[in-house]
């Protein structure tokens, strides 16, 4: 199941489309990671308690994971440019509300809205690339650029927020991102040609509602559960999530216009790409989401220093993703995914063995190794997400793949939070021991993902 060559598109139009798609992904990831470096000042300004801090970091994931698959299908059927531009507009509105939020509730609600808009941008971006870049070396190069935009967004979001927080306040970062996203929505409408699938599957509104609410309930349960797993709220949310997702599965199996063809999970390339995305979220992204808070609390590194450390990992991934197109065609996408996950695991193992007296230089080698592997992984994920679904369904492939990434991230962040903050206390020694354990656990998640990817061989 690979995409056939799309309709001929001029070099100028394909370059414009790739630029817009990559910038959309970049701005979405910048918005997603912006609070990582400024969580302390943001929470203090909004007067957030411990639960509020958790929601600040997790809320955009809920919007992203809940809407990625739905918006990907909508993009394929009703227009990728239209979905992209509308998603960018919603992202801009959510970002602007974040900038002026007076309290935690409004800020968290705005972050969920950001996630909904960002989902439309990310899901349609790979569909736009698949339409304008034929399968083969041309698409491999474009996928490398898209993968680099993922790493660049992760790198620049915390850095922008930390710099503006030092100069003015954390709010200015959201104003800058909102203005840039409005400009992007206009540019997409003007510069990108409209495209859609030649064989639309039709809307599946009940399936979309069940999936969105089911994933939202699951992620909300994970967030609330960190305050106490035996409390009524997380238990009710978990039960609700199971019921909604079970109903979604039954509906998709019986529907002629299913939003997600569940038979794809029997297709090894799709399974490999989905598992790799899940392991990426549950592994390196989860650990890196925790790192800025850890180095600030235990190692005494300020917000800008934490953002620069994160930059060391993600900027390295940008360079590697751009170079990944030079890998020989004989190295399959499945091999790149498996090797990338193993490399990420090696980098995370190198981050273990810390003491409370460690300095930033002790973390740098592991971050660079993980960054190199992450670049290979991001480039391959972008390409395999499209190549593993039927022709013309690139938006659905992108939506499914990125849904797995952000669900994995939410689960991984919860696992890291539980492991890294032991019940023995919040002393520097205890938190350092927790970090070392969390790095090993996330490395194990990456290795497990690599094993599943490696055995997902196409059956003949």
């Amino acid at each position: 199941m690979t995409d056939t060559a799309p309709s001929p598109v001029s070099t100028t139009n394909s370059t414009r489309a790739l630029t817009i798609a990559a910038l959309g992904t970049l701005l979405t990831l910048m918005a997603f990671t912006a609070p990582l470096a400024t969580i302390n000042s943001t929470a203090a300004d909004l007067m957030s308690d411990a639960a509020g801090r958790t929601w600040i970091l997790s809320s955009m994931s809920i919007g992203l994971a809940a809407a990625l698959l739905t918006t990907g299908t909508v993009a394929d059927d009703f227009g990728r440019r239209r979905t992209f531009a509308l998603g960018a507009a919603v992202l801009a509105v959510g970002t602007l509300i974040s900038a002026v939020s007076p309290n935690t509730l409004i800020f968290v609600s705005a972050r969920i809205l950001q996630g909904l808009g960002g989902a439309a941008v990310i899901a349609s971006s790979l569909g736009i690339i698949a339409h304008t870049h034929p399968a083969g070396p041309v698409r491999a190069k474009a996928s490398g650029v898209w993968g680099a935009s993922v790493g660049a967004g992760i790198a620049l979001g915390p850095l922008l927020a930390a710099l503006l927080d030092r100069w003015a306040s954390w709010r200015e970062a959201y104003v800058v991102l909102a203005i840039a996203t409005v400009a992007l929505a206009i540019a997409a409408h003007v510069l990108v040609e409209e495209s859609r699938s030649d064989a639309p599957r039709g809307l599946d509104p009940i399936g979309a509602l069940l999936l969105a609410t089911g994933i939202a309930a699951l992620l909300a349960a994970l967030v609330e559960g960190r305050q106490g797993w035996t409390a009524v709220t997380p238990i009710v949310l978990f039960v609700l999530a199971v019921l909604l997702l079970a109903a979604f599965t039954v509906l998709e199996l019986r529907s002629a216009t299913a939003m997600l063809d569940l038979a794809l999970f029997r297709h090894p390339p799709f399974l490999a790409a989905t598992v790799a995305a899940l392991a990426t979220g549950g592994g390196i992204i989860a650990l890196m989401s925790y790192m800025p808070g850890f180095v600030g609390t235990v190692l005494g590194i300020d917000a800008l220093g934490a953002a620069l450390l994160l930059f060391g990992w993600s900027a390295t991934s940008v360079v590697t993703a751009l170079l990944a197109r030079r890998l020989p065609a004989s190295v399959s996408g499945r091999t790149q995914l498996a090797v990338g996950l193993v490399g990420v695991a090696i980098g995370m193992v190198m981050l273990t063995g810390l003491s409370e007296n460690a300095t930033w230089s002790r973390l740098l080698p592991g971050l660079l190794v993980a960054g190199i592997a992450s670049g290979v992984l991001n480039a391959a994920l972008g390409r395999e997400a499209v190549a593993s679904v039927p022709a013309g369904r690139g938006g659905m492939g992108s939506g499914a793949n990125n849904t797995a990434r952000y669900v994995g991230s939410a689960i991984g962040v919860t696992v890291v939070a539980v492991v890294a903050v032991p019940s023995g206390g919040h002393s520097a020694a205890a938190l350092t021991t927790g970090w070392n354990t969390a790095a090993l656990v996330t490395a194990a998640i990456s290795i497990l993902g690599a094993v599943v990817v490696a055995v997902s061989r196409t059956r003949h």
Side-chain angles (χ1 to χ4, degrees), residues 66-79:
L68 272 162
L69 185 55
T70 303
T71 53
T73 302
V74 169
D76 285 335
D77 285 0
F78 295 97

Side-chain angles (χ1 to χ4, degrees), residues 113-207:
L113 185 63
Q114 281 182 291
L116 296 175
V121 171
I122 291 176
S124 55
S125 65
L126 278 176
I128 290 171
I129 291 173
H131 173 74
T132 53
H133 295 77
V138 174
R139 188 178 295 169
K141 180 179 178 180
S143 296
V145 173
W146 184 87
S149 73
V150 173
I154 293 172
L156 295 177
L159 196 57
L160 174 69
L163 285 170
L164 290 178
D165 188 38
R166 174 174 288 192
W167 171 65
S169 79
W170 60 271
R171 297 178 184 273
E172 274 66 28
Y174 294 89
V175 174
V176 171
L177 288 173
I179 294 171
T181 309
V182 168
L184 179 71
I186 296 171
H189 181 74
V190 173
L191 298 177
V192 178
E193 293 183 353
E194 186 60 281
S195 65
R196 55 179 59 85
S197 173
D198 293 331
R201 295 177 66 88
L203 276 178
D204 180 16
I206 297 178

Side-chain angles (χ1 to χ4, degrees), residues 173-277:
Y174 294 89
V175 174
V176 171
L177 288 173
I179 294 171
T181 309
V182 168
L184 179 71
I186 296 171
H189 181 74
V190 173
L191 298 177
V192 178
E193 293 183 353
E194 186 60 281
S195 65
R196 55 179 59 85
S197 173
D198 293 331
R201 295 177 66 88
L203 276 178
D204 180 16
I206 297 178
L209 180 63
L210 288 172
L211 178 66
T213 53
I215 289 180
L218 172 62
L219 300 191
L222 291 172
V223 174
E224 285 294 317
R226 292 176 219 171
Q227 314 306 319
W229 297 102
T230 58
V232 174
T233 299
I235 291 174
V236 170
L237 287 170
F238 273 124
V239 171
L240 181 61
V242 169
L243 293 175
L244 289 169
L245 294 175
F248 169 75
T249 302
V250 172
L251 178 68
E252 296 302 284
L253 288 172
R254 296 180 176 181
S255 175
T257 59
M259 180 172 57
L260 174 64
D261 183 0
L262 296 180
L264 284 170
F265 285 100
R266 296 197 299 268
H267 181 53
F270 181 83
L271 179 63
T274 304
V275 169

Side-chain angles (χ1 to χ4, degrees), residues 29 48 56 67 80 87 93 116 187 223 230 247 308 326 339 360 363-364 370 385 389:
L29 268 296
S48 306
I56 287 172
R80 299 176 181 114
V93 171
L116 296 175
V223 174
T230 58
L308 288 171
R326 300 184 182 276
V339 170
W360 65 268
L363 292 165
L364 194 57
V389 297

